[in-house]
Amino acid sequence: MLELGVGSGAQARVWLDELRSLDAERGTRYYRRLQYLMGDYSPHVLDRARQAVAHHAERVSALVVEAPRPSVTLGFLAGKAFLVYISNVYDNLPTDELACIHGRTYQVETQ
């Protein structure tokens, strides 16, 4: 599983706690095979999120993701991720985008 924009880590904690509980209840042995990747552009945010899921440390990895070009960091996951969870990410990215067309620079206002 991959979560982008992990914030406080609260959502990761909910996912992991619930998956572990369901696994124990149903005996699926899924949780022990799970790898949860937390991705964010901020190392500080990742450190805080890691603390929130410390009791799942064996199942969790953190990646600093280049927000405008996530494939630079996450390209190795192509065709391998079971679930990608993204919430409240793009509204937190820089808003100014420039385009160069025929040698002239323009500010992109719509897409």
Side-chain angles (χ1 to χ4, degrees):
M1 294 179 69
L2 168 65
E3 180 180 355
L4 295 175
V6 297
S8 68
Q11 186 61 53
R13 185 177 56 243
V14 169
W15 279 110
L16 291 162
D17 288 348
E18 288 300 315
L19 287 169
R20 184 173 57 188
S21 292
L22 284 170
D23 187 46
E25 177 184 309
R26 297 179 182 175
T28 59
R29 299 172 50 142
Y30 175 77
Y31 178 80
R32 70 179 183 89
R33 298 183 316 239
L34 177 69
Q35 183 62 43
Y36 195 97
L37 301 174
M38 297 188 305
D40 204 284
Y41 70 93
S42 168
H44 171 73
V45 167
L46 286 170
D47 288 342
R48 187 178 59 196
R50 239 189 249 118
Q51 292 172 10
V53 294
H55 58 293
H56 295 284
E58 292 180 356
R59 309 267 55 91
V60 177
S61 297
L63 299 166
V64 176
V65 177
E66 188 176 336
R69 299 182 319 159
S71 63
V72 170
T73 307
L74 303 172
F76 73 98
L77 291 173
K80 297 177 184 171
F82 175 70
L83 173 71
V84 178
Y85 179 79
I86 301 173
S87 179
N88 299 320
V89 170
Y90 292 105
D91 59 329
N92 291 308
L93 295 176
T95 58
D96 294 339
E97 183 176 341
L98 301 177
C100 184
I101 302 171
H102 302 295
R104 294 190 64 186
T105 303
Y106 299 90
Q107 181 175 353
V108 177
E109 295 181 3
T110 62
Q111 291 186 356

